[in-house]
């Protein structure tokens, strides 16, 4: 397959693999609302941020939306959008590789871009996600006013859409857009509201659908030539009783079946998204001004309804959404209001000055953007994280700065997929799904036993919180025999080799 080449391509292809696994540390004073919501706002470079997420979220993200700097050669107030072309390619390539690993089998990635880098991005995404997994290039009408100084005014952005798998498979999981009511009416004042009708007949011959129907004017009708009625006679009689059959020509015409809008499956999304449907940059500016009245507003936000449409098509409530170029936090705010779980990564200081305050407002029932359309009433929460030390040093050893509580939280999360809520001040970390977890590290037993109690011996085992069921114990080494471990239902995991984040 043809690929794009650039000066540093060879080294850039190794960047994602070489990025260190760093620990994520919570910052309670910047977190807000329900701490157990699972929503994460991470401040840091997304290369390290995405790598840190891999042990926890690989293969689990249903929808990734990113809006990376377009390389427009502008210096925006909150970030610089002026990279040398090669440097832009070198930045995006490894991040896309990590994003691919996080996508679930039903997942999709949507990338906003303009013509500065868009066509190069398409070639790179073909390589990273597979050309066969390209689904669409959505054209978003971002501007409706005329750009008088330009040779040809730009009124659109691209949104490149790829699936983890091909479009045939992805189609099974994507949602349709809500149907509109154009073409519906209510000529008979039906209590159920507006409706439209289609002929109550189907092509072909089906014996039990070949009966006579008497119209309200008393005319007896058989199915049209080459067709049968749309249902069997008992089903037809039920529909008639339910007032779902309509006879045009004042009751003299052929029967038709009523369709109400909610019976429609919805509309297949198209590639052209008009500003009148999903908002434009004027709308997003108004939204951001409303949110940050006395504060310097973020320069390049996306409208909430644009992101709402993407999240609607690609996910269902409870699914995980990720944005690793979070900007002012639009994706997380919209995902929150739509009942999706989310992870946002932003390296700028605006993670603190814009994203966190915006999400706090959302939790407190802010009513801008899509709030009214989804009847947003507030609630939920998020945790704020920063990237900490690398877990392993260059020789593969655990970094000496890693403290017991940090490693305990990391191991607990790797094993259970849930955050450690206890104090982490003893080797017993807790019980999850009937398995007890222990960590012997950093001399947590604080005594004169081998390696300060980091070695599993009979004595150490006696002192551990007793639990009759299955146990997973992490430590430097074990001096128990295999038989003893079997009897005690112990799975021993050796530090650092068995820690997932290596
Ligand atoms: C175009 S803005 C995103 C705007 C966003 N969609 C919104 O609605 O507010 C791009 C953002 O990506 C951030 N960014 C650029 N490189 C990054 C990196 N390596 N890691 C994390 N964030 C990065 C910039 O700081 C900037 O805030």
């Amino acid at each position: 397959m043809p690929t794009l080449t650039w000066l540093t391509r060879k080294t850039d292809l190794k960047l994602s693999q070489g990025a260190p696994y760093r620990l994520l540390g919570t910052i309670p004073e910047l977190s807000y609302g329900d701490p157990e919501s699972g929503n994460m706002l991470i401040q840091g470079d997304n290369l390290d941020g995405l790598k840190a997420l891999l042990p926890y979220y690989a293969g689990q993200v249903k929808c990734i939306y990113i809006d990376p700097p377009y390389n427009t050669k502008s210096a925006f107030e909150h970030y610089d959008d002026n990279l040398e072309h090669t440097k832009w390619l070198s930045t995006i390539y490894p991040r896309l590789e990590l994003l691919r690993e996080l996508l679930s089998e039903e997942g999709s990635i949507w990338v906003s871009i303009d013509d500065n880098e868009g066509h190069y991005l398409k070639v790179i995404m073909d390589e990273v996600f597979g050309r066969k997994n390209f689904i669409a290039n959505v054209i978003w009408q971002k501007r409706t006013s005329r750009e008088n100084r330009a040779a040809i005014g730009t009124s659109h952005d691209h949104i490149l859409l790829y699936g983890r798998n091909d479009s045939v498979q992805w189609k099974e999981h994507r949602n349709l857009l809500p149907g509109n009511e154009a073409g519906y009416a209510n000529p008979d004042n039906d209590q159920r509201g507006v409706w439209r009708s289609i002929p109550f007949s189907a092509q072909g011959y089906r014996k039990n659908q070949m009966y006579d129907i008497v119209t309200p004017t008393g005319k007896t009708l058989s199915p049209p030539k080459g067709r049968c009625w749309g249902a069997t006679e008992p089903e037809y009689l039920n529909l008639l009783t339910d007032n779902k059959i309509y006879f045009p020509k004042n009751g003299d015409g052929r029967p038709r079946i009523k369709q109400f809008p909610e019976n429609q499956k919805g509309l297949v999304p198209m590639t052209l998204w008009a500003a009148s449907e999903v908002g434009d940059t004027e709308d997003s500016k108004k939204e951001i001004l409303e949110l940050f009245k006395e504060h310097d507003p973020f320069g390049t936000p996306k409208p909430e309804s644009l992101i709402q449409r993407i999240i609607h098509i690609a996910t269902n409530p409870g699914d995980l959404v990720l944005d690793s170029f979070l900007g002012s936090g639009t994706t997380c705010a919209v995902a929150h209001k739509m009942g999706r779980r989310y992870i946002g990564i932003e390296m700028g200081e605006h993670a603190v000055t814009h994203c966190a305050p915006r999400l706090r407002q959302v939790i407190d029932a802010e009513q801008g953007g899509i709030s009214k359309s989804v009847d947003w009433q507030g609630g939920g929460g998020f945790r704020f994280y920063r990237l900490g030390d690398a877990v392993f040093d260059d020789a593969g050893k655990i970094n000496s700065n890693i403290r017991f509580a940090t490693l305990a939280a990391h191991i607990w999360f790797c094993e259970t997929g849930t955050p450690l809520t206890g104090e982490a001040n003893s080797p017993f970390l807790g019980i999850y799904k009937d398995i007890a977890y222990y960590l012997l590290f950093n001399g947590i037993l604080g005594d004169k036993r081998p390696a300060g109690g980091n070695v599993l011996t009979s004595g150490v085992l006696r002192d551990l919180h007793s639990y009759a069921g299955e146990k997973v114990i992490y430590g430097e080494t074990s001096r128990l025999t295999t038989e003893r471990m079997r009897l005690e239902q112990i799975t021993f995991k050796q530090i650092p080799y068995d820690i997932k984040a290596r």
Side-chain angles (χ1 to χ4, degrees):
M1 189 182 104
T3 50
L4 190 70
T5 20
W6 62 94
L7 199 61
T8 51
R9 178 184 160 95
K10 230 173 151 181
T11 28
D12 296 340
L13 259 52
K14 295 185 195 130
L15 284 178
S16 65
Q17 222 185 350
Y21 279 106
R22 290 172 63 181
L23 292 174
L24 288 168
T26 13
I27 313 289
E29 58 277 20
L30 290 173
S31 308
Y32 195 66
D34 176 9
E36 302 310 321
S37 65
N39 298 323
M40 301 171 84
L41 173 52
I42 301 167
Q43 185 180 25
D45 187 316
N46 52 22
L47 188 70
D48 290 354
L50 293 169
K51 188 85 183 232
L53 291 173
L54 275 185
Y56 312 130
Y57 294 105
Q60 291 190 41
V61 180
K62 188 78 173 288
C63 170
I64 296 173
Y65 169 75
I66 56 168
D67 178 15
Y70 289 1
N71 220 4
T72 56
K73 308 298 169 207
S74 324
F76 294 117
E77 193 178 337
H78 294 96
Y79 64 98
D80 209 4
D81 195 18
N82 184 13
L83 285 181
E84 199 274 311
H85 180 46
T86 296
K87 186 79 189 118
W88 191 91
L89 299 172
S90 134
T91 304
I92 204 75
Y93 191 99
R95 287 161 177 85
L96 291 175
E97 282 189 303
L98 292 172
L99 288 167
R100 181 194 57 213
E101 296 313 306
L102 290 161
L103 266 189
S104 71
E105 289 299 310
E106 309 88 45
S108 55
I109 173 164
W110 306 64
V111 186
S112 277
I113 200 73
D114 74 2
D115 286 322
N116 283 292
E117 298 290 0
H119 305 277
Y120 295 89
L121 178 66
K122 168 74 171 62
V123 180
I124 287 187
M125 289 189 77
D126 275 351
E127 181 182 343
V128 174
F129 293 94
R131 202 166 142 80
K132 71 174 180 40
N133 297 331
F134 170 73
I135 296 172
N137 173 16
V138 172
I139 300 301
W140 168 51
Q141 185 187 25
K142 65 175 173 184
R143 179 183 177 126
T144 51
S145 57
R146 201 160 289 280
E147 213 180 346
N148 284 324
R149 280 171 305 173
I152 293 190
T154 304
S155 52
H156 73 277
D157 274 358
H158 306 266
I159 305 176
L160 295 182
L161 164 61
Y162 284 74
R164 183 73 177 90
N165 288 304
D166 64 24
S167 63
V168 178
Q169 293 178 60
W170 182 71
K171 187 175 157 222
E172 299 300 312
H173 304 283
R174 66 105 166 85
N175 293 315
L176 298 171
L177 297 175
N180 68 35
E181 296 190 353
Y184 289 81
N186 195 356
D188 62 350
N189 273 332
D190 193 310
Q191 284 176 2
R192 291 162 291 202
V194 291
W195 52 272
R196 65 181 182 187
S197 65
I198 55 164
F200 180 66
S201 66
Q203 231 172 15
Y205 174 89
R206 289 182 198 87
K207 200 169 168 211
N208 57 358
Q209 290 175 217
M210 303 299 291
Y211 47 92
D212 284 345
I213 285 181
V214 181
T215 68
T217 54
K219 212 156 83 182
T220 301
L221 299 174
S222 0
K225 217 165 163 217
R227 298 176 75 83
C228 56
W229 293 127
T232 62
E233 192 163 17
E235 286 165 343
Y236 163 71
L237 292 172
N238 282 339
L239 289 166
L240 195 66
T241 315
D242 276 357
N243 186 24
K244 283 188 177 154
I245 298 291
Y246 166 65
F247 293 89
K249 298 185 188 161
N250 291 325
D252 200 44
R254 289 195 170 277
R256 297 174 69 84
I257 183 159
K258 287 180 174 179
Q259 284 187 329
F260 297 90
E262 62 268 30
N263 294 343
Q264 298 304 298
K265 283 206 227 123
L267 303 174
V268 172
M270 305 287 277
T271 50
L272 207 54
W273 293 10
S276 57
E277 299 166 341
V278 292
D280 58 16
T281 49
E282 287 303 312
D283 294 307
S284 50
K285 269 181 211 145
K286 279 186 213 138
E287 284 173 5
I288 215 80
L289 276 171
E290 192 55 37
L291 285 165
F292 299 105
K293 291 179 192 85
E294 300 107 46
H295 198 60
D296 54 335
F298 187 78
T300 56
K302 290 289 183 281
E304 289 202 3
S305 23
L306 174 70
I307 307 301
Q308 179 186 32
R309 177 173 283 192
I310 292 172
I311 293 180
H312 167 83
I313 294 172
T315 67
N316 293 307
D319 284 341
L320 186 56
V321 175
L322 167 67
D323 183 341
S324 55
F325 293 86
L326 192 59
S328 64
T330 314
T331 307
C332 293
V334 173
H336 195 118
K337 293 177 191 177
M338 292 175 75
R340 274 60 168 177
R341 292 175 299 130
Y342 57 83
I343 302 172
I345 310 178
E346 171 53 57
M347 73 177 176
E349 200 38 35
H350 43 290
V352 177
T353 56
H354 290 69
C355 302
R358 181 173 187 173
L359 290 175
R360 285 202 293 271
Q361 289 192 48
V362 169
I363 291 162
D364 291 342
E366 157 278 295
Q367 286 301 300
I370 63 160
S371 289
K372 293 206 168 66
S373 74
V374 299
D375 191 23
W376 175 242
Q377 302 289 327
F382 69 92
R383 282 183 194 236
F384 193 100
Y385 296 81
R386 284 200 179 108
L387 288 161
D389 289 321
V391 182
F392 302 100
D393 64 19
D394 291 343
K397 292 220 179 73
I398 293 193
N399 187 319
S400 56
N401 290 330
I402 300 289
R403 309 283 19 124
F404 179 85
T406 320
L407 192 65
H410 181 71
I411 284 178
W412 176 264
F413 202 106
C414 287
E415 289 283 355
T416 68
T418 64
L420 183 64
T421 46
E423 291 273 302
N425 54 10
S426 87
F428 173 64
L429 306 183
I431 297 171
Y432 185 80
K433 294 201 172 154
D434 297 333
I435 302 177
Y437 293 91
Y438 303 82
L439 170 63
L440 302 170
F441 176 68
N442 250 9
I444 184 69
L445 289 173
D447 55 25
K448 296 196 171 58
R449 286 178 281 193
N454 296 345
V455 175
L456 181 60
T457 59
S458 294
V460 166
L461 184 61
R462 213 175 24 247
D463 288 353
L464 291 182
H465 172 277
S466 72
Y467 179 66
E470 264 183 72
K471 294 172 267 296
V472 171
I473 303 179
Y474 280 83
E476 263 172 34
T477 185
S478 166
R479 296 213 177 135
L480 302 185
T481 62
T482 316
E483 181 56 10
R484 175 86 190 275
M485 291 222 263
R486 193 185 62 76
L487 287 174
E488 300 276 2
Q489 301 186 62
I490 293 172
T491 304
F492 184 77
K493 296 201 176 178
Q494 195 176 10
I495 298 172
Y497 310 104
D498 290 328
I499 299 179
K500 221 174 166 185
R502 297 191 79 237

